[in-house]
Amino acid sequence: MKRNGNNKKIGNYYVGLDVGTSSCGWAVTDPEYHVLRFKGKSMWGARLFDEAETAANRRTARAARRRLARRKFRLNLLKEFFEQEVAKIDPLFFERLENSNLYEEDRKTGTGTYSLFNDKEYTDREYLKQYPTIYHLRSELIHSAEPHDVRLVFLALHHLFKKRGHFLYDMGEKDELKSLDSALLDLRNYLDENNINFDIQNKEDFRRILMSDLGVSEKKKKLKEYYGHVESSEENSDEYIDINTLIEALSGASFKIAKLFNDESLNEMEIKALSLKDNLDENYDVLSTMLDERFELLPLLKNVVDTARLSTQLGDNHYICDAKKMLYEKNKRDLKTLKAYIRRVYGDQYKEVFYPKNKVNNFAAYTQHKMERKDKKDEHEVFLTFLKSKYFKEKENLISTEEIRMYEEVNSGAFLRKLKGTENGLIPYQLEHKEVKKILENASAYLPFLKEVQSDGLTVAEKIDQTFTFRIPYYVGPLSTKANHHFISRKDEKIYPWNFKEIVNLEESSKNFMNSLIGRCTYTNETVLPLNSLLYSKFMVLNEINRICINGKNIPVETKQDIYRDLFVASKRNIAKKHIFLYLKQRGFVSDSDVLSGIDDRVKANLKSLHDFQGILKDGISDRNQDMIEKIIKTILVYSDDKKMLRNWLKKNIKNLNDEEIKKICRLNYRGWGRLSKEFLQNIYHVDKNG
């Protein structure tokens, strides 16, 4: 090595590296930290490179491609069912429909001027006068058994198939939509299991406020008022969950996760705050890793918020289309009221509110009339902020009850909501399916082809119904066996929604999926145990207890076993350091002056699955049924989002369970895998001093 370009040899030298996520800096110095030279150049520099990215973006794009491809497949099947009947009265209908998004000059010649109907006496003009929105058409086909044009029936079903709602709620065998009372009961049951008191003093008003259109601040205030006494965070600092923050979360407000769980260590995590109005799925992986068992609370809270918002949308209606019709008529009246009010009070500013002309927050921008917004903010919120800031500062200009109501709705956020918006993401497929069934029932009376029995024994109406509800289980994955990462086990026949279960071996596919999912133990290379396995839960608890010291000295093994048995096994509550100290004090191991160390303020590990099955199985847990329970826990992980499949698996594989036990097991939710195998924890022995 040379220094300063001369021929002097250098013996000892240092190499320094600064490694970052997108760069690597380096330098070579002598022991006195002078930069060395080599071939006339100082030996230091940096290399820049692109930062590594996770597969999240690719995964999101892949999921979107598959979702769109599957939607297209459903719509093509629907088209095939109707094609022959529609061709009898309008051979070019589907061609016009495919070209409807093109300019007139780009459409195929001969299809006509209009996008949908081109009859002599019935065109798009007459159609839109009769049905201003697709919801008006859906509503008429549901409530009327009178004969309708086959094209109208197709358009209504096409819209339902295209936007068929989410599949987040498991409704059980009856497929009934959960009520707000049911969602609140699920939340209360979870809190009871964790020894958290959630006693609402004024339940009716609490429910009413949850379903109201009040602003977040006002809703938060009212919920706390009707709940009753809510302890402050300081009073509640020793509890597992802060009820004050929980109620704020139910109002839709943004809340700190560390504050909700009374755990300051969560402030160091990637996601610090959250709002239940947001999509929980986007942050699912991060949050479930951060919170482990505690994550279970968030979906329960979101279920309450979403159910309340959905109930607000539906009102007293049984069908979504009727609720949307009412909203359309209300918006029509509200727009007239707003225009009359602006003309009367702010006549010279009428154009500023309703005309495009360089405005990005007025009514024209909100409805995207002749212009497009460039920012990503909520358009409805931006529009209402615009109205509040200039035209609804005080009530003094309001002269009628309609104008006062309009003022209140502008301030609460309920004024002029669009029929199509983010709120539609709350609609579960069960509500849309109810409309499909009713439309098919009515249409079958005047469209005979819907009742025709085909070669496989199913009618066209039954096939349409099954196509609507068809969803490929996540554990089946790609349907092609040629895909690089496939789990499917299937026959070599074409898959349709109505023959899916005959072609695909769901049980074998789920086993393949499970085998690909389960990690390997670092020490034995055997498959790892579920995080909530009875054995792994016991190990995790004992692992935390093992570090307990009194005044810096380890406690006897027998005492650790007593703590495990008397505190963790005997009680469902979440054990904290103070509970262990009190237990040791009662047994004379410590006094108030002693220091308990080696354990966190809260013990993160628990025996949730043990307590779950002790409460479910009539015979409790014994050595004879532990293997059966471990098998069930493993299966719950695989079928976590498919409760019907779990129910069928339990009936087929676990013979000594009754219907009530199966029902309770299907309510359990376990997620995540441990890091160690059963072989490592149980089947490796050492020889002690006695041989």
Side-chain angles (χ1 to χ4, degrees), residues 440-459:
L440 288 172
E441 182 188 324
N442 289 339
S444 294
Y446 54 82
L447 296 176
F449 81 96
L450 291 173
K451 293 188 288 186
E452 287 178 8
V453 179
Q454 301 195 322
S455 58
D456 49 16
L458 296 170
T459 64

Side-chain angles (χ1 to χ4, degrees), residues 329-347 349-355 361-364 366-367 380 383-393 397-398 400-411 415-417:
E329 297 301 329
K330 179 181 179 299
N331 284 350
K332 196 174 177 181
R333 293 193 303 270
D334 286 350
L335 185 56
K336 283 183 180 178
T337 306
L338 178 64
K339 285 184 174 182
Y341 169 73
I342 297 295
R343 277 199 183 101
R344 181 175 61 80
V345 182
Y346 303 96
Q349 297 178 45
Y350 183 84
K351 287 187 176 181
E352 187 180 345
V353 179
F354 294 103
Y355 281 55
N361 52 6
N362 66 358
F363 180 78
Y366 174 50
T367 55
H380 184 245
F383 171 56
L384 293 187
T385 302
F386 166 76
L387 290 180
K388 282 188 280 190
S389 63
K390 290 191 173 185
Y391 308 103
F392 289 91
K393 288 183 178 178
N397 294 320
L398 309 174
S400 67
T401 54
E402 278 296 294
E403 288 184 356
I404 292 170
R405 180 187 59 77
M406 177 174 64
Y407 171 85
E408 289 170 351
E409 287 190 358
V410 166
N411 282 284
F415 186 66
L416 282 182
R417 286 194 182 280

Side-chain angles (χ1 to χ4, degrees), residues 472-484:
I472 299 171
Y474 66 95
Y475 51 82
V476 170
L479 298 182
S480 172
T481 53
K482 294 178 182 177
N484 291 333

